[in-house]
Amino acid sequence: MQKLFEDLRAFIGAFFLIVGIILTITGIVHPEFVEGYNLNLITGICFLIFASLALMLAVYEKNKNS
């Protein structure tokens, strides 16, 4: 677990995961449409995808070096 916290991808992934969850929940609970698009929901989902990619890469690198 210590090696995972030494990898910058884990911190970046955790940050985008937290922000993505907040944006997604905000987009679902209080939808605000800009030109017909719910930008909070779209951005939150994109952040969650990026976070999962960053966290998967961090875990893969940790397992590879173990």
Side-chain angles (χ1 to χ4, degrees):
M1 194 71 166
Q2 178 68 21
K3 279 206 170 255
L4 185 63
F5 289 120
E6 292 175 0
D7 194 354
L8 186 59
R9 288 173 285 213
F11 287 105
I12 292 172
F15 170 76
F16 277 94
L17 181 69
I18 292 167
V19 175
I21 290 170
I22 292 169
L23 284 173
T24 304
I25 291 172
T26 303
I28 293 171
V29 174
H30 302 291
E32 294 181 21
F33 294 95
V34 177
E35 295 186 13
Y37 297 106
N38 187 348
L39 292 182
N40 285 335
L41 183 61
I42 293 170
T43 306
I45 291 171
C46 290
F47 276 26
L48 290 174
I49 292 169
F50 178 75
S52 64
L53 179 67
L55 289 171
M56 283 190 305
L57 287 173
V59 169
Y60 173 74
E61 190 69 27
K62 176 194 168 272
N63 290 337
K64 187 174 98 174
N65 289 336
S66 293

